[in-house]
């Protein structure tokens, strides 16, 4: 049997090149080796306020971009988190075995709560919900970026604590893929990871940006004051652009760009990105103009994963001594 992989992306903001090169591209490449579940984590998104109408269309857009980026809905299950009530149910049960101190220590919680006037309880519970996403499907492998490793460690701690208190119930996710693709930084600030939540028009390249927008953003990307590209000594901005170009088009190697003036280099980077995005955007257009396609994909994903989720919920309830309707099944 193939090992089960699970990962998730929030449907807030626009999916960008960092999401593609750091996650989606990799998911598409590994999907045939595993039983893959890719989750659109809308319950995580609402830990900070989302415009309702915008959120629901972002959920569909995210699903369409997963497919456009190469995730094959015949092979992999694309699931909207809130469609499977087990995520929220299990999160509650796990909350009850999670010491508050563990959650207070989460660095993302600290960083996010500094930006809010009032801190919603959901923000504190965020990593418990993430643990529920993973444990609900007894996933073995969770490909995530470095920024999520503390949350993954917490997931393991929660699973172990639950198993110790109530008996072996959860698989403790052991493995993480060693590399999950390139780490892409912001164009305006190459010291921070490219992020959906950073506002500013020149921070990220959205997967649906038209070619002229891509070119303009890259032309404006932060560089340094060297006259040209020195492959042995790239500043953070140039190094980031090189990583992007090379990940989009492996023909753009260090020796190809050596000595290029920054203007020419940026043009080469832009062409690599535009060429990489073109088939994604074409596929996106195709599937979003086909009526009912996305909903059918999400329905299929739901039907595939629901029995797994229900099974874990029953097992967990039984372990904790909660009542399972339908008798002693
Ligand atoms: N917290 C993750 C992020 O921001 C998203 C996420 C939610 C996730 N649930 C998950 C990732 C389960 C992997 C597995 O990137």
């Amino acid at each position: 049997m193939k090992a089960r992989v699970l990962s998730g992306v929030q449907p807030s903001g626009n999916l960008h090149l960092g999401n593609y090169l750091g996650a989606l591209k990799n998911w598409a490449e590994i999907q045939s080796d595993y039983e893959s579940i890719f989750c659109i984590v809308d319950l995580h998104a609402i830990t900070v306020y989302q415009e309702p109408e915008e959120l629901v269309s972002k959920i569909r857009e995210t699903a369409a971009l997963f497919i456009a980026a190469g995730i094959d809905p015949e092979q992999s299950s694309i699931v909207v988190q809130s469609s499977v009530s087990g995520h929220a149910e299990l999160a509650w049960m796990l909350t009850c075995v999670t010491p508050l101190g563990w959650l207070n220590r989460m660095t993302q919680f600290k960083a996010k709560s500094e930006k809010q006037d009032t801190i919603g309880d959901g923000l504190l519970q965020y990593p418990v919900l993430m643990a529920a996403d993973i444990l609900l499907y007894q996933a073995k492998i969770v490909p995530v970026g470095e920024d999520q490793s503390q949350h993954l460690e917490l997931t393991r701690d929660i699973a172990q604590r639950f198993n110790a208190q109530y008996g072996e119930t959860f698989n403790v996710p052991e493995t993480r893929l060693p590399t999950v693709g390139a780490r892409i930084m912001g164009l305006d600030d190459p010291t921070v990871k490219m992020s959906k939540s950073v506002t500013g028009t020149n921070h990220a390249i959205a997967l649906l940006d038209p070619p002229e927008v891509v070119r303009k953003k890259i032309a404006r990307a932060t560089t340094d004051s060297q006259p040209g590209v020195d492959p042995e000594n790239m500043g953070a901005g140039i190094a980031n652009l090189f990583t992007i170009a090379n990940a989009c088009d492996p023909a753009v190697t260090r020796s190809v760009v050596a000595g290029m003036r920054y203007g020419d280099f940026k043009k080469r980077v832009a062409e690599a990105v535009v060429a990489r995005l073109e088939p994604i955007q074409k596929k996106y257009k195709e599937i979003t103009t086909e009526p009912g396609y996305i909903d059918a994909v999400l329905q299929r994903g739901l039907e595939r994963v629901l029995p797994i989720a229900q099974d874990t919920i029953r097992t967990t309830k039984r372990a904790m001594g909660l009542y399972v309707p339908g008798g002693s099944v």
Side-chain angles (χ1 to χ4, degrees), residues 6-8 10 41 44 126 130 133-134 142 144 148:
L6 181 132
S7 198
Q10 289 194 40
V41 292
H44 278 106
Y126 181 111
M130 178 164 161
D133 299 339
I134 297 164
V142 187
V144 286
Q148 294 298 312

Side-chain angles (χ1 to χ4, degrees), residues 51-103:
E51 283 299 333
E53 272 171 34
E54 214 171 285
L55 180 59
V56 74
S57 64
K58 285 286 175 203
I59 292 169
R60 281 212 175 76
E61 181 184 305
T62 305
L65 279 170
F66 278 14
I67 300 162
I71 288 162
D72 173 9
E74 300 293 329
Q75 270 186 53
S76 305
S77 303
I78 301 177
V79 180
V80 179
Q81 185 187 33
S82 66
S83 306
V84 183
S85 58
H87 290 260
E89 273 182 88
L90 186 60
W92 175 255
M93 297 183 226
L94 298 179
T95 288
C96 296
V97 304
T98 306
L100 186 54
W102 290 5
L103 299 180

